[in-house]
Amino acid sequence: MTSPTSIQVRGLSKRFGETRALADCNFDAYPGEVHAIVGENGSGKSTLAKTLSGVLMHDTGTVEVFGSPVTSPIDARERGIATIFQEVLVADEANVIDNLYVGSDGLLSNGKSYAEKVREADEILRRCVGHPIDLRANVGTLPLNIKQWIVIARAILRQPKVLILDESSAALDLGATNRLHAEIERLRDQGCTVLIVTHRIAELVRIADRATILRDGTAVGVLEKHEITEARLLELMTQAGRTLAAAPVAFSDPSFETAPPIITARQLCVSSDTAPFDFELQPGMIVGLAGLDGQGQDQFARILAGIAAPASGQVICLDQAGQPKPISGLDDAYDLHVSWVSGDRKREGIFPQRSIFENFAMGIYRRKLGFMGKVDRRLGHQLFKKEVDRLKIKTGPISNRITSLSGGNQQKVLISRAFADEPRVIVLNDPARGVDLGTKRDLYRELQAFARSGGSVVYLSSEIEEFLGFAHRVDVFVNGSIFRSLEGAMIEEEAMLAAMFGQPLGTHVEIA
């Protein structure tokens, strides 16, 4: 790069109590480039993004944007920085228009007229979402992916000189991610510096011009576009002498093919206007759920876990004595040892005001730790240590609030909670959203070990590459029903994409 830097970071350090988040970190970015910030969970990526945004004050070092220091969100805004944080920050009780333009009006001026805001908002949301959105709807009534688009559109509307996206595609499916990439490329071509914090390697390879790799709070390397490969990223992300195995290979265990299904659904309709379908899940089987956003796979996962009710049909699960029992709600799912892991940890997972240990213990209190209104803390600590070792959770004192952990490590706590409750079936809704490659591989291995022991897994993901070499079967949803089930060698990218778009097998689908 020959152009002057837009961002220059030198010797940046930041601690949170005993935790060192950044350590003598150096970083440069340039106008008109897409620059990825990559690293394992807890490597300091989000801390760096928040420091650049003025949200966090660093302990030592300097942060300059266009030659001026950034020490507060006001400084950041004056330098033209807009940040989309990992958590989806919206006002649920306000409508879409108010969420898009919050903070854009001055103290003595209302800025744009309401008609201008409506026109501008409608244009950008149609472009981003792919269809019109009711601009007067309360945001709290909208699904997570639309909330994510509102946050993204809010940042784009500010016409930033620097746009920082911290895991901002995590709630978006394949088509939506491609629309986000189009917006990023448009901003880059206008001279904007775009910083992306993401764990999606395919996203990095496609969109990034350069990548800075963080390890233990320090920048350990910068890769140019032609150097950004999974192997090179993993080499730099992991500590010396430690390597990550390739994606696990789905094990061959034909015993589940003859075993009676532990979960059966017949003529199930996820809503009143969708076609009925059947579903079976055998012990020892890993079934993936795929589909474009809003095609019914999310609702189906919730039905299996007892969180939602079907419009018609019923889900039956065999109890430990082999007797069929209906799953009609959360109590049924609990009694039948069906566990749920949500990818939306903010709304459905963590208790942000509680400690790391309390967030873990709440999920297993009834079955494991509770006795006459008391918590067996000694047993709880033993179980938590086991899960910390299993999933390699990076945690300080477990009495700290769970929000002291990185987003990926918060997600690991939720996954560990499900494992510790000794489930017979685990239903996971995009559990690897916002977690690094190493954690994904650890999770795959643990789920495969769980399946080998006779457990059953239902795994919903918005990233179809997660199913490769992992799932025994992938059920692809279109219009609220299973459109096609793929097994064995048929679980490959082209076949899954064709099914997601409702096309015959063998159809090549070009994603713009």
Side-chain angles (χ1 to χ4, degrees):
M1 292 283 180
T2 58
S3 59
T5 58
S6 53
I7 299 172
Q8 188 176 78
V9 172
R10 292 292 179 267
L12 202 67
S13 296
K14 177 66 180 177
R15 279 186 175 273
F16 298 96
E18 300 176 12
T19 303
R20 185 183 68 175
L22 293 172
D24 196 26
C25 182
N26 298 315
F27 175 80
D28 290 306
Y30 300 90
E33 76 164 347
V34 177
H35 195 126
I37 303 172
V38 193
E40 292 188 278
N41 290 125
S43 62
K45 304 183 303 298
S46 291
T47 301
L48 177 59
K50 288 176 181 176
T51 305
L52 293 173
S53 305
V55 174
L56 288 177
M57 276 298 297
H58 45 283
D59 299 328
T60 60
T62 60
V63 177
E64 291 188 351
V65 176
F66 299 110
S68 299
V70 173
T71 59
S72 71
I74 293 175
D75 285 344
R77 181 158 184 170
E78 288 177 349
R79 308 289 177 271
I81 299 173
T83 303
I84 304 165
F85 294 104
Q86 189 169 5
E87 304 297 344
V88 180
L89 301 176
V90 293
D92 280 343
E93 300 306 316
N95 65 27
V96 174
I97 284 286
D98 289 341
N99 267 275
L100 286 172
Y101 289 93
V102 62
S104 64
D105 294 333
L107 181 64
L108 301 177
S109 169
N110 291 328
K112 298 172 182 175
S113 70
Y114 186 77
E116 286 178 299
K117 291 179 179 179
V118 168
R119 179 192 56 76
E120 193 175 51
D122 182 64
E123 178 184 333
I124 191 169
L125 286 176
R126 282 177 184 264
R127 193 170 71 227
C128 292
V129 180
H131 57 79
I133 298 295
D134 182 0
L135 301 178
R136 294 175 178 80
N138 276 9
V139 170
T141 65
L142 302 175
L144 177 64
N145 68 306
I146 301 299
K147 292 181 180 181
Q148 183 70 78
W149 273 124
I150 290 169
V151 175
I152 293 169
R154 183 168 64 207
I156 294 172
L157 284 169
R158 293 180 179 175
Q159 298 180 327
K161 296 179 182 177
V162 175
L163 178 64
I164 303 173
L165 302 101
D166 187 357
E167 294 292 348
S168 301
S169 64
L172 305 179
D173 71 357
L174 179 68
T177 299
N178 281 285
R179 292 194 297 275
L180 174 61
H181 288 177
E183 294 298 313
I184 289 172
E185 289 168 349
R186 184 178 62 81
L187 288 169
R188 178 189 61 191
D189 293 345
Q190 293 172 356
C192 179
T193 301
V194 183
L195 304 184
I196 301 180
V197 177
T198 183
H199 293 110
R200 292 182 169 185
I201 296 302
E203 186 170 29
L204 296 184
V205 172
R206 174 180 171 184
I207 196 73
D209 298 307
R210 290 196 303 148
T212 292
I213 294 82
L214 297 186
R215 188 171 69 223
D216 296 329
T218 300
V220 296
V222 180
L223 301 179
E224 299 295 331
K225 188 173 185 65
H226 67 277
E227 300 174 303
I228 301 174
T229 64
E230 180 173 343
R232 191 76 179 101
L233 289 167
L234 291 177
E235 178 186 343
L236 289 170
M237 283 168 57
T238 55
Q239 295 178 2
R242 178 183 161 221
T243 59
L244 293 175
V249 177
F251 51 89
S252 177
D253 182 3
S255 61
F256 65 72
E257 297 177 1
T258 57
I262 186 170
I263 287 184
T264 305
R266 294 284 182 256
Q267 294 297 290
L268 195 79
C269 292
V270 299
S271 62
S272 59
D273 57 350
T274 60
F277 61 91
D278 297 337
F279 175 85
E280 287 188 350
L281 176 68
Q282 276 79 17
M285 195 170 193
I286 299 174
V287 173
L289 302 182
L292 298 176
D293 187 70
Q295 298 302 304
Q297 66 273 23
D298 179 84
Q299 181 73 358
F300 176 59
R302 292 172 180 276
I303 290 169
L304 290 179
I307 296 170
S312 61
Q314 192 174 48
V315 176
I316 300 296
C317 181
L318 298 183
D319 65 16
Q320 290 177 301
Q323 297 301 308
K325 304 288 184 182
I327 298 180
S328 302
L330 287 170
D331 285 340
D332 292 336
Y334 176 81
D335 292 340
L336 292 163
H337 291 256
V338 178
S339 288
W340 165 260
V341 177
S342 173
D344 188 358
R345 57 183 171 269
K346 181 181 177 184
R347 294 190 64 193
E348 299 180 342
I350 66 168
F351 297 87
Q353 302 303 317
R354 296 294 181 180
S355 71
I356 299 165
F357 175 73
E358 287 170 324
N359 270 270
F360 170 79
M362 283 179 183
I364 59 174
Y365 170 77
R366 288 173 62 188
R367 189 134 39 215
K368 290 283 191 72
L369 303 181
F371 179 72
M372 298 186 69
K374 296 184 178 180
V375 176
D376 187 340
R377 286 187 171 271
R378 188 178 67 84
L379 175 59
H381 289 160
Q382 290 175 353
L383 292 172
F384 188 50
K385 183 181 184 306
K386 176 183 175 183
E387 297 303 329
V388 165
D389 293 341
R390 184 210 296 252
L391 292 174
K392 300 179 177 64
I393 305 174
K394 292 183 179 179
T395 173
I398 62 174
S399 58
N400 287 353
R401 285 188 181 180
I402 193 168
T403 49
S404 68
L405 301 180
S406 68
N409 281 296
Q410 292 177 32
Q411 189 69 10
K412 288 184 187 181
V413 172
L414 301 186
I415 294 167
S416 72
R417 190 167 70 190
F419 274 126
D421 202 34
E422 296 184 350
R424 298 167 64 231
V425 178
I426 299 182
V427 182
L428 306 102
N429 186 347
D430 234 350
R433 179 186 298 164
V435 302
D436 61 59
L437 286 170
T439 299
K440 286 184 180 183
R441 282 166 167 74
D442 292 340
L443 176 59
Y444 300 154
R445 284 192 288 267
E446 291 303 325
L447 289 173
Q448 289 188 331
F450 172 71
R452 285 191 191 94
S453 68
S456 301
V457 178
V458 178
Y459 192 104
L460 185 153
S461 178
S462 56
E463 298 180 59
I464 59 176
E465 58 266 28
E466 287 203 70
F467 300 125
L468 304 176
F470 170 61
H472 296 107
R473 188 181 83 222
V474 177
D475 292 339
V476 182
F477 279 70
V478 176
N479 296 327
S481 300
I482 295 177
F483 176 76
R484 182 175 297 135
S485 293
L486 302 169
E487 300 185 42
M490 291 302 301
I491 301 175
E492 50 88 26
E493 188 172 358
E494 284 286 339
M496 284 189 281
L497 282 173
M500 289 167 68
F501 285 90
Q503 300 297 315
L505 277 173
T507 302
H508 174 73
V509 179
E510 190 71 39
I511 302 297

